[in-house]
Amino acid sequence: MLNRSVRWMRAGSCAALACMFLLFAYANPSNGLALAEEYKVGEYRLQTGDVIGFAVIGYPEMQKRAVIDQSGVIVLPVLGPLTVLGKTIEDVRKEVIEGLKPKSLPQRSADGTETWTGFYPDQIVVDIEEYRPVYIDGDIASPGTQAFRPGMTVRQAVAAGGGYQLGRGELQNPEMTAADLGGRLHILRIKYQESEIKAARIEAQLSGARAIEVPDTERDPSLEPRRDEALQQEGKHLEAVYADQEKERASIKLATTKAAERMGYLKEQQKADQAGAAADAAELDRLKKLFEKGLIQITRVNDAQRAVLLSATRALQTNAEIARLERDQGDLQRSLDKLIDQSRIDLLADMQAERAAMTQMRAEMDSLTKQIAYVMQMRSDLVGEGDRITIGVTRSTDGQAATTEVTEDTLLAPGDTITITLEVPPGAVAN
């Protein structure tokens, strides 16, 4: 009986499973249609984990891939944080265009002058670069996450996952498989711990704290050495960032102080130039009157005219220097403001990316934990005739998760979880 079951499994399992699934699919045609009708690409509501692509034509430095974090927020250049959870991509595009209308960017011309230009709607590109992945587990060859594409069906997800595979029939050594899964889970836990500490360091930077405060959660003793090492590294990173910021601020403040001193000197010079110009003009008038009376020669009048012209030129140069210095002072102040604002925007973007990575790692750890529990329950049972394939899709709508039994042709939506179950009827398992 055992040998016959093994031969049947190797020679005819694929054909038998395919035939039985077709019978099951025709018996349940409505479930796939129900889910397919619920999902429309144009009406898709953005959720945590989706990646938004942002660009401004003509400004490559504005290009950004923004991951929606757990609070439904993305961080975009110039605009900063933007709540997009539950909105369509068209809604977000309109909101970004409206938000950028009053904004402008500096643009330097060939002669070195700087002008500020606004944004035009046709320049702004906002689109979905990457959807939340689809998760697939159960009796599948390669459980895990798969990149979602519009129009993706359960059949395509199963094919990408290596096809159906009943673990009890295919698994030769449950202990070795569990050890492999356990190793992958351990590595994920290390990475998650490092991400958690990195997120705590970013929180410290955002609040201006000098120490990293990691949430006090239940710890795995085996991870303590790596935890201490990660804390030490992130602590050094925090110190280096603060030191660099202090140097940058000190440099800008020193330049601002020197500019202020130079401005004071120029103001005094301006007063002196104005007084000198007035004196020269008065002297010229006096000499003209004396010349008209025939008391002096014309050469003295000419000398006085040259003195007036020289005084006016000197005053003009001083005024030009004052105007240039005022522009430099404005640039220094904008640099100081940008240093603070841009640093915060960058930190918010880093925090968003880190939280999204932590969310994905938690999902992967949960999946591995379930796989390990599943494998440890297996023994050497082999699949027999009469198996039935059950496919369930769990979808979250308005915060409520619901599982529906579907067919292979059911259209998927971002974030769906597919669960494959190959049921073995009583009496069909060879022991």
Side-chain angles (χ1 to χ4, degrees), residues 28-38 407 410:
N28 298 271
S30 60
N31 294 328
L33 292 175
L35 281 181
E37 292 171 355
E38 290 175 11
T407 70
T410 298

Side-chain angles (χ1 to χ4, degrees), residues 353-367:
E354 209 61 43
R355 284 176 174 170
M358 290 170 65
T359 299
Q360 183 173 351
M361 282 189 282
R362 277 196 298 268
E364 292 176 1
M365 287 190 294
D366 290 343
S367 177

Side-chain angles (χ1 to χ4, degrees), residues 311-322:
S311 297
T313 302
R314 187 164 50 246
L316 184 61
Q317 290 174 343
T318 302
N319 291 338
E321 183 67 14
I322 289 174

Side-chain angles (χ1 to χ4, degrees), residues 18 53 77 84 87-88 308 327 410:
V84 299
K87 299 178 182 178
T88 66
V308 169
R327 287 196 301 271
T410 298

Side-chain angles (χ1 to χ4, degrees), residues 300-346:
R300 292 192 61 185
V301 175
N302 292 337
D303 290 340
Q305 287 176 335
R306 282 193 292 271
V308 169
L309 181 60
L310 182 61
S311 297
T313 302
R314 187 164 50 246
L316 184 61
Q317 290 174 343
T318 302
N319 291 338
E321 183 67 14
I322 289 174
R324 186 193 63 78
L325 191 56
E326 286 175 345
R327 287 196 301 271
D328 290 345
Q329 286 179 317
D331 291 340
L332 287 171
Q333 185 58 45
R334 283 194 293 271
S335 297
L336 185 59
D337 294 340
K338 184 177 179 181
L339 176 66
I340 299 171
D341 296 341
Q342 190 60 46
S343 174
R344 186 168 185 82
I345 289 175
D346 292 342

Side-chain angles (χ1 to χ4, degrees), residues 224-387:
E224 283 299 318
R226 298 298 295 267
R227 174 188 174 86
D228 295 339
E229 181 182 346
L231 272 172
Q232 186 177 9
Q233 290 177 351
E234 291 298 334
K236 291 180 179 179
H237 184 103
L238 185 63
E239 291 176 1
V241 167
Y242 280 147
D244 183 66
Q245 289 179 348
E246 289 298 329
K247 288 180 182 178
E248 188 71 20
R249 290 194 187 97
S251 175
I252 294 175
K253 289 179 179 178
L254 178 60
T256 302
T257 301
K258 289 183 177 180
E261 293 174 354
R262 175 68 176 165
M263 181 62 75
Y265 167 77
L266 288 174
K267 290 292 186 182
E268 292 296 328
Q269 181 66 36
Q270 186 182 47
K271 292 179 182 178
D273 291 343
Q274 290 172 350
D280 290 339
E283 178 66 11
L284 177 61
D285 290 339
R286 187 181 71 84
L287 292 175
K288 282 181 178 179
K289 291 177 181 178
L290 291 175
F291 175 74
E292 290 172 356
K293 294 178 180 179
L295 298 177
I296 62 173
Q297 296 179 355
I298 190 63
T299 54
R300 292 192 61 185
V301 175
N302 292 337
D303 290 340
Q305 287 176 335
R306 282 193 292 271
V308 169
L309 181 60
L310 182 61
S311 297
T313 302
R314 187 164 50 246
L316 184 61
Q317 290 174 343
T318 302
N319 291 338
E321 183 67 14
I322 289 174
R324 186 193 63 78
L325 191 56
E326 286 175 345
R327 287 196 301 271
D328 290 345
Q329 286 179 317
D331 291 340
L332 287 171
Q333 185 58 45
R334 283 194 293 271
S335 297
L336 185 59
D337 294 340
K338 184 177 179 181
L339 176 66
I340 299 171
D341 296 341
Q342 190 60 46
S343 174
R344 186 168 185 82
I345 289 175
D346 292 342
L347 287 173
L348 288 171
D350 291 343
M351 176 62 78
Q352 172 187 325
E354 209 61 43
R355 284 176 174 170
M358 290 170 65
T359 299
Q360 183 173 351
M361 282 189 282
R362 277 196 298 268
E364 292 176 1
M365 287 190 294
D366 290 343
S367 177
L368 285 173
T369 301
K370 291 177 182 178
Q371 291 178 54
I372 291 172
Y374 182 67
V375 168
M376 294 308 294
Q377 294 176 357
M378 296 178 181
R379 292 296 180 264
S380 59
D381 297 341
L382 297 177
V383 66
E385 296 182 5
D387 295 334

